[in-house]
Amino acid sequence: MVLDFTKFHETPRRLPTTYIPQSIKFGGLDLGKRVDASAFVCLELKERKLEQVGQHTWNHVNYAVVSDDIVEIQKKEKCRKIGFDRTGVGDAVAELFSPRIPLVPIDTTNMTKNHIINMIRALFQKDKLRITRNGDLFNQILEQQQDVTPAGNITYKHPSSSHDDLFWALGYACYVALPLVNRPKPITRSAGF
Amino acid sequence: MNLERRIGILENILNSKLDSVVPKIPLDFTSFNNMIGPPLHPKTKKPTTIFDYQNELDRIINKYHVVLLNKSRKIGATETALRSVAKNCFGRYAGYDVMFVAGNRQKQADRLLTRFDKLFWQGFTDLDGIKWTYSDIITKKTSSNLEFFNGTTIHTFPAVPESLRGSENVICVVLDEAAHFKLTDDRVIYDALEPNIANTEGDFICISTPNGKRGFFYDLWNEENEYYKLAQPYTVSYGLLLSEEYISRKKNDARIDFEQEFNCQFTSSRKSAFNEELIKFTDVEIDDYSDILGD
């Protein structure tokens, strides 16, 4: 038997400098306080586009239930990162979660919130984010209101009569996913013989 | 008013000479309004006639009984509904209870009752030429209750679900500005109210200007259901209660969501940070994790 080594030269292997899987999932978790529910949104990053694949809302249940459920969801989705709001009850509640959950704390100051809203808007504009038409998330996005303060600053709020938990869960998921959405295309190099 | 007293009043009416106890009221809405005094123009304060779209609302209420009125602002829809209820208090609603639900505080709801009460301040002369004074018609008035001579009682309530449950003998429920109750989930208001008319098969009248794509008013408007859906945009009152100049000014006012406030459209909430067209949708079926979380 004669080995034909020329074939190896015809199809040189191309190895990327970094390994990027076909799809990565990210989660966002908004922990309800007194009035709001807790909500989770899961996004899948494929070809540099985020697409919503899951969501769940917990209406006024205790945080232990939420943390147990997140463990189950994580077993299924295997999110690389789950962003959550560390302010308010966030930090304390995070201690209830299993250390295996890849929680990423986000300090949600007014400035961060404005940044997240602008980021969501930019992702939609560039067609890098797609969500489900059905359910409450769409309505919650539309209900985010923009105000201009007397000093000329833009602030965002939602009507006191409505929820915005899914909206912020989406925002936190986008926030932790953004570095990979914006990541430049990996440089590949030939590694032939 | 307890049931015993109500029955007593009704028996008295039945046993007495009917014509001398009950005012003879015209069945026609315009004639009824001419009898009690026509509405006043909100700007000029001069009496106005009853317009076609106001007659139509009264006709729809009396024909279909469960009505959603999606209306423009400033066309006198609430006033029309009050006058339609007032007419029915002498007929279909006699001896029953009527519930007015408005605003989130009792004071807001009570203001509606004061408007209703004002309809009878001047009294009226019925079709037999008998003069009825205010005290002949209204036997008792408190800030939140009003009793007619024939046992009909009007109660006002704020949009608080606990206060709306359990009323009996209700023949009519009127919800004013139903899309504007400031509740996280306003469906509880509807759920609390709707069974109240179950025994009497009474009227359920929901009136509102749209307020975004949310709330039970929006849901009922878009669902297939038993409600008669009546839309009265600004055009029905263009040149009547709404002057051309006023509408032109509102159309050009960027602070006003004209389509929503005057044209019966459920647009996004005012000053929305996101334009509806901006949002992109996925066809992927969204997992709600009910298979693993079990609810």
Side-chain angles (χ1 to χ4, degrees):
Chain A
M1 184 180 155
V2 180
L3 289 172
D4 182 4
F5 288 102
T6 56
K7 278 187 179 172
F8 290 102
H9 293 278
E10 283 167 9
T11 54
R13 281 198 302 150
R14 296 174 75 86
L15 295 173
T17 48
T18 50
Y19 170 69
I20 297 180
Q22 287 262 305
S23 94
I24 313 170
K25 287 179 179 170
F26 294 92
L29 177 64
D30 185 48
L31 293 161
K33 294 174 186 83
R34 275 170 298 180
V35 179
D36 284 342
S38 296
F40 174 80
V41 166
C42 185
L43 302 176
E44 184 174 22
L45 179 69
K46 255 190 200 170
E47 295 168 355
R48 293 170 193 286
K49 289 184 179 179
L50 289 166
E51 192 165 44
Q52 190 192 359
V53 290
Q55 71 179 44
H56 190 79
T57 306
W58 294 265
N59 288 315
H60 313 297
V61 300
N62 73 45
Y63 297 123
V65 175
V66 177
S67 78
D68 289 348
D69 287 352
I70 287 290
V71 171
E72 295 304 314
I73 291 172
Q74 176 63 1
K75 278 182 196 165
K76 186 172 187 178
E77 300 290 13
K78 296 181 177 56
C79 295
R80 180 175 282 194
K81 291 177 181 177
I82 297 175
F84 80 103
D85 173 15
R86 74 180 302 173
T87 54
V89 297
D91 254 349
V93 175
E95 290 177 13
L96 295 173
F97 285 76
S98 160
R100 284 175 298 169
I101 305 294
L103 289 175
V104 178
I106 301 167
D107 286 307
T108 51
T109 58
N110 271 346
M111 196 185 282
T112 323
K113 286 193 166 187
N114 286 357
H115 170 64
I116 288 174
I117 289 176
N118 288 330
M119 176 188 69
I120 294 173
R121 196 152 44 186
L123 286 170
F124 276 130
Q125 277 170 351
K126 292 178 182 174
D127 195 13
K128 283 182 176 286
L129 174 62
R130 286 175 179 265
I131 62 155
T132 177
R133 184 185 289 275
N134 306 318
D136 296 332
L137 177 58
F138 174 49
N139 289 335
Q140 289 185 16
I141 290 174
L142 291 182
E143 281 177 3
Q144 285 298 315
Q145 292 180 0
Q146 179 177 295
D147 265 350
V148 181
T149 65
N153 298 318
I154 293 175
T155 61
Y156 298 98
K157 60 180 185 180
H158 73 107
S160 57
S161 53
S162 66
H163 284 300
D164 64 350
D165 33 61
L166 278 168
F167 172 79
W168 285 111
L170 172 74
Y172 302 148
C174 292
Y175 190 86
V176 291
L178 195 66
L180 276 184
V181 178
N182 286 339
R183 192 176 190 144
K185 283 190 176 176
I187 301 162
T188 56
R189 67 178 178 219
S190 299
F193 290 95
Chain B
M1 181 182 287
N2 62 34
L3 190 61
E4 202 174 328
R5 192 173 157 210
R6 196 188 311 277
I7 291 168
I9 289 172
L10 291 172
E11 277 176 351
N12 284 343
I13 292 170
L14 289 171
N15 295 335
S16 59
K17 283 184 180 176
L18 204 64
D19 287 351
S20 63
V21 177
V22 181
K24 203 166 186 182
I25 300 293
L27 295 173
D28 168 52
F29 189 57
T30 305
S31 308
F32 171 77
N33 281 287
N34 290 336
M35 188 183 79
I36 63 167
L40 303 179
H41 192 286
K43 196 174 176 185
T44 62
K45 301 293 175 198
K46 287 182 179 168
T48 59
T49 55
I50 295 295
F51 302 117
D52 288 348
Y53 68 92
Q54 293 173 315
N55 265 320
E56 187 191 17
L57 176 59
D58 176 67
R59 185 182 63 79
I60 298 277
I61 289 171
N62 286 298
K63 185 173 181 187
Y64 295 99
H65 306 294
V66 285
V67 180
L68 291 178
L69 173 62
N70 176 356
K71 52 112 182 156
S72 159
R73 293 181 71 179
K74 303 288 174 197
I75 61 167
T78 305
E79 179 77 13
T80 310
L82 292 181
R83 285 171 175 267
S84 180
V85 170
K87 183 173 76 112
N88 287 330
C89 283
F90 298 94
R92 283 198 299 125
Y93 299 168
Y96 289 97
D97 290 355
V98 175
M99 295 174 76
F100 285 164
V101 182
N104 287 71
R105 292 174 194 278
Q106 185 68 49
K107 268 190 176 176
Q108 289 171 284
D110 293 346
R111 242 177 267 147
L112 204 61
L113 191 66
T114 306
R115 272 177 80 177
F116 183 81
D117 186 45
K118 272 186 188 175
L119 298 176
F120 302 104
W121 279 7
Q122 304 300 320
F124 57 78
T125 305
D126 71 8
L127 291 179
D128 289 333
I130 299 169
K131 175 79 183 164
W132 290 74
T133 63
Y134 174 81
S135 56
D136 295 331
I137 308 160
I138 308 296
T139 54
K140 190 178 173 189
K141 161 82 170 70
T142 65
S143 58
S144 57
N145 291 302
L146 182 146
E147 285 180 22
F148 278 79
F149 68 96
N150 60 2
T152 315
T153 311
I154 314 286
H155 302 278
T156 55
F157 298 88
V160 178
E162 296 77 20
S163 68
L164 302 172
R165 288 181 181 273
S167 298
E168 289 176 359
N169 204 38
V170 177
I171 189 74
C172 175
V173 175
V174 179
L175 277 97
D176 192 34
E177 291 301 355
H180 293 260
F181 296 143
K182 293 204 179 304
L183 285 176
T184 307
D185 178 11
D186 65 6
R187 189 93 196 181
V188 290
I189 298 293
Y190 178 75
D191 293 343
L193 275 172
E194 207 271 339
N196 288 345
I197 54 163
N199 294 339
T200 56
E201 295 186 354
D203 297 357
F204 199 92
I205 306 160
C206 259
I207 302 168
S208 193
T209 307
N211 184 24
K213 294 177 177 177
R214 57 169 296 278
F216 77 87
F217 187 76
Y218 170 71
D219 292 341
L220 289 176
W221 186 261
N222 285 289
E223 284 169 5
E224 287 284 324
N225 52 39
E226 72 277 24
Y227 284 87
Y228 186 93
K229 292 157 189 166
L230 177 64
Q232 293 194 329
Y234 73 98
T235 46
V236 298
S237 194
Y238 194 58
L240 302 171
L241 293 182
L242 300 172
S243 67
E244 292 172 29
E245 187 258 330
Y246 175 80
I247 287 298
S248 162
R249 207 169 60 234
K250 294 296 167 191
K251 272 184 180 172
N252 294 324
D253 190 338
R255 292 167 301 181
I256 290 172
D257 185 347
F258 184 84
E259 287 299 302
Q260 182 155 271
E261 298 292 332
F262 291 91
N263 208 21
C264 302
Q265 300 298 310
F266 292 86
T267 63
S268 50
S269 301
R270 198 173 349 162
K271 300 185 285 186
S272 181
F274 292 89
N275 190 338
E276 195 173 339
E277 283 78 44
L278 186 72
I279 299 168
K280 309 285 190 304
F281 298 104
T282 175
D283 298 326
V284 173
E285 196 167 323
I286 300 299
D287 192 346
D288 64 355
Y289 308 113
S290 51
D291 55 332
I292 53 172
L293 304 181
D295 49 89

